[in-house]
Amino acid sequence: MILGSKELASRFEGVFGAAPDGIWQAPGRVNLIGEHTDYNEGFVLPFAIDRTARVAVRLRPDSTLRMLSTFGNQGLTTADAGSLDRAAARGWTKYPLGVIWALQQRGLAIPGLDLLLDSDVPRGAGLASSHAIECAVITALNALTAAGMDVKDMVLATRHAENDFVGAPTGIMDQSASLRATAGHAVFLDCRDQGVRLVPFDAEAAGLVLLVIDTRVSHSHAEGGYAARRESCELGAEVLGVKALRDVGFEDLEEASGLLDPETFRRVRHVVTENDRVLQTVELLENAGPQAIGTLLDASHASMRDDFEISCAELDLAVDAARSGGAIGARMTGCGFGGSAIALTPAGSEPAVRAAVERGFARASYAAPEIFSVRPAGGATRLA
Ligand code: GLA
């Protein structure tokens, strides 16, 4: 359970000997649909979940950084804001340090600070727990310093932190969801220009529950696989003579199949069809409601399994078992190679879906999955 702001402030004072300047929080996300489309300048439709990272922060008069979390066994970590060393950064502290580094790269003077982190975003589950930390930290620093960033700047700065300090070649979906979400809505984001439209997504009012099935599989080569997919997409765009795969349409696929090697073609086909599925999902949510999107979730999963090849046996089993238990649509969410699946489930079928997934995992001798429901929540904000 996440600590309330009073409890977090009093722990902060106990550790650092003074009250924090404030407390900020930012959520993790579930991507409803639109996977591996963000770095192809395409469309995504994530929503923020009711699981957050919270940071209590106090600026210091010197350049010392002192960071502690309420979880794990990393203990108090110190660094110097004047000489950040990405090779020496360890564990979760890479994320606040990466944000500070990215802001410094933009010419902003970021002083030392004391920081206490709490989070109930499951780690390693494909729910953007690292971005939740980065977004909480950047929102805090934007408020406490003269940084004066707007939300688009904060999205780009956190991507800079992820790409060039943490070392993960990710796009802009996760931080956009965390920074820009509104409760009861999904964030329809055009990753070419960061244009956003909030799309009503109230599963509960439609008699549905959005279940997350955390397979607890965390593939050690996930990052290598992610980078390899990015490279395939870049190769595809280059051969097809477009700026990004966003510029390839259905009508181009036939010609593309003759120009690309079979594997690159499958990668391209996933991105092209996935962009289209995002647009269709938005239209259905706006005109028919969440009940109507199940088959698009299923089609998205099949495309990731067969064309983009980022699923794994546990994710496929979670999706198939959830469907057989009564879910109206299911897909893996996030970067893939492990992590979580989502299952859009009629409220009355929730026990049957849970039982079907748990039974399937037990039969396959997989570790028991973690299954919980999430709601579309609001974005990053100051708590105290
Ligand atoms: C990770 C990245 C995102 C996005 C997804 C895949 O979550 O951080 O930028 O590329 O994978 O859709």
Side-chain angles (χ1 to χ4, degrees):
M1 243 195 28
I2 189 113
L3 294 177
S5 47
K6 280 201 183 119
E7 174 70 14
L8 193 61
S10 99
R11 287 225 200 164
F12 181 99
E13 201 163 340
V15 174
F16 297 115
D21 295 334
I23 296 177
W24 288 261
Q25 74 172 22
R29 64 96 190 93
V30 151
N31 189 19
L32 193 54
I33 198 160
E35 221 65 80
H36 288 260
T37 44
D38 62 351
Y39 54 80
N40 290 300
E41 301 188 12
F43 305 112
V44 292
L45 190 62
F47 62 88
I49 57 174
D50 45 350
R51 303 278 192 122
T52 59
R54 287 187 178 164
V55 291
V57 180
R58 184 172 71 104
L59 295 188
R60 294 173 55 91
D62 56 21
S63 65
T64 302
L65 301 164
R66 298 194 296 176
M67 295 162 290
L68 182 68
S69 74
T70 57
F71 53 82
N73 50 12
Q74 197 170 332
L76 187 76
T77 302
T78 56
D80 188 326
S83 57
L84 293 180
D85 178 2
R86 73 191 85 168
R90 291 282 170 269
W92 67 271
T93 62
K94 281 184 287 199
Y95 308 119
L97 291 174
V99 167
I100 293 167
W101 174 85
L103 297 182
Q104 290 174 343
Q105 296 293 305
R106 296 173 164 238
L108 296 165
I110 303 296
L113 50 85
D114 293 332
L115 182 151
L116 178 63
L117 166 74
D118 189 25
S119 174
D120 65 353
V121 185
R123 287 171 284 287
L127 302 176
S129 60
S130 58
H131 281 96
I133 300 172
E134 290 168 3
C135 290
V137 170
I138 203 164
T139 306
L141 291 178
N142 201 34
L144 290 174
T145 69
M149 287 174 285
D150 65 17
V151 69
K152 289 187 176 182
D153 290 335
M154 291 199 271
V155 164
L156 296 179
T158 48
R159 184 181 63 183
H160 195 189
E162 274 283 318
N163 291 175
D164 298 319
F165 191 88
V166 176
T170 53
I172 61 166
M173 169 170 72
D174 302 343
Q175 53 274 70
S176 298
S178 187
L179 292 167
R180 307 187 71 164
T182 300
H185 292 77
V187 179
F188 173 37
L189 174 71
D190 181 338
C191 299
R192 174 154 275 174
D193 62 5
Q194 286 203 48
V196 155
R197 188 157 101 226
L198 294 168
V199 177
F201 178 61
D202 190 348
E204 223 169 292
L208 298 168
V209 182
L210 200 292
L211 290 177
V212 172
I213 304 161
D214 176 4
T215 64
R216 300 164 93 175
V217 174
S218 131
H219 283 213
S220 53
H221 53 267
E223 275 182 22
Y226 187 98
R229 296 305 179 280
R230 265 199 94 136
E231 278 163 25
S232 289
C233 291
E234 279 156 20
L235 173 67
E238 193 185 318
V239 173
L240 298 176
V242 292
K243 176 166 179 276
L245 291 184
R246 149 70 170 276
D247 301 309
V248 182
F250 268 132
E251 63 287 0
D252 305 315
L253 282 178
E254 202 182 321
E255 193 191 343
S257 74
L259 296 171
L260 301 168
D261 67 83
E263 184 185 283
T264 308
F265 175 68
R266 289 200 305 279
R267 306 294 187 250
V268 169
R269 184 167 58 188
H270 165 72
V271 174
V272 172
T273 57
E274 186 78 349
N275 273 328
D276 186 64
R277 282 185 288 270
V278 175
L279 299 179
Q280 287 188 54
T281 304
V282 168
E283 199 183 317
L284 285 175
L285 284 179
E286 288 181 336
N287 297 309
Q291 291 274 4
I293 67 170
T295 50
L296 288 165
L297 302 184
D298 293 343
S300 171
H301 186 77
S303 178
M304 292 187 286
R305 183 190 60 211
D306 303 334
D307 274 355
F308 219 60
E309 296 178 273
I310 52 171
S311 189
C312 64
E314 292 85 347
L315 283 167
D316 292 341
L317 177 60
V319 164
D320 292 344
R323 289 290 276 117
S324 73
I328 63 168
R331 63 186 287 277
M332 54 143 278
T333 189
C335 78
F337 307 102
S340 298
I342 54 171
L344 193 57
T345 302
S349 306
E350 187 183 333
V353 169
R354 285 176 181 268
V357 174
E358 279 160 2
R359 218 171 28 240
F361 272 59
R363 273 198 198 129
S365 302
Y366 296 153
E370 196 74 52
I371 306 176
F372 51 92
S373 62
V374 290
R375 290 194 180 141
T381 186
R382 184 174 193 152
L383 271 189

